[in-house]
Amino acid sequence: MIKARPLPMLATAASVFVVLLLVLRVLQGNGVVVPPPPILPVLVGAFLVVLLVLGWRVRGYVSGKSSMDPIAASRVAALAVSGAFVGAAMTGAGLAQVVALLDQLGAAAARADVVVGSVTALLAAGLAVIALVVQRWCEVPDDDDPASPPGATT
């Protein structure tokens, strides 16, 4: 299984931050302000909750406390990897929105956009952390007996 690692995630967050900040600055220079969608924190938060719930199910399966289809467990592991990188990218995007609007905080609309960007960045950072935790929960400990199911005691 391919695992998400913190260094590539930081690189993703930094890349998205730099590129989006440059795009937003160019657009602002042309008189166009692109507000962050207010639904964005809700979607990131929903992804976080779904990943946490699914990861908890896999954790129970790996420890032998519940049953689950192994294919479904592997899909949750793949979702955790994608969640880690989506969280990293959205953290960079949220921070770029905030930094792009720092010089316009006198306007009420800019303050509202900064709040949306800040909440998005915080939830996205939480998503990245939870994704790494769920990825860890999806790891099956090495067994000497390959015929026994995950978490089974002999």
Side-chain angles (χ1 to χ4, degrees), residues 61-65 143 145 148-154:
Y61 170 68
V62 170
S63 66
K65 296 177 183 174
D143 252 350
D145 183 14
S148 65
T153 56
T154 54

Side-chain angles (χ1 to χ4, degrees), residues 4 7 40 42 60 105-106 115-116 127 137 142 154:
L7 191 58
L40 207 52
V42 175
L105 288 179
V115 168
V116 171
L127 173 62
W137 289 346
D142 289 334
T154 54

Side-chain angles (χ1 to χ4, degrees), residues 6-152:
L7 191 58
M9 289 170 56
L10 286 173
T12 300
S15 300
V16 170
F17 174 79
V18 168
V19 169
L20 187 59
L21 185 60
L22 289 173
V23 168
L24 290 172
R25 289 293 185 183
V26 166
L27 288 173
Q28 284 176 350
N30 292 327
V32 178
V33 176
V34 181
I39 192 75
L40 207 52
V42 175
L43 296 175
V44 173
F47 191 0
L48 187 150
V49 169
V50 167
L51 185 60
L52 188 60
V53 168
L54 291 174
W56 193 261
R57 278 194 66 207
V58 173
R59 183 175 187 235
Y61 170 68
V62 170
S63 66
K65 296 177 183 174
S66 67
S67 64
M68 184 178 201
D69 182 28
I71 298 298
S74 68
R75 288 179 180 156
V76 173
L79 184 66
V81 173
S82 65
F85 284 101
V86 167
M90 292 307 300
T91 300
L95 291 176
Q97 284 282 350
V98 170
V99 170
L101 293 171
L102 283 180
D103 57 343
Q104 302 174 4
L105 288 179
R111 285 192 301 270
D113 291 346
V114 166
V115 168
V116 171
S118 300
V119 172
T120 299
L122 287 172
L123 285 172
L127 173 62
V129 169
I130 291 297
L132 289 175
V133 170
V134 169
Q135 178 180 269
R136 177 86 172 145
W137 289 346
C138 291
E139 292 177 1
V140 177
D142 289 334
D143 252 350
D144 291 336
D145 183 14
S148 65

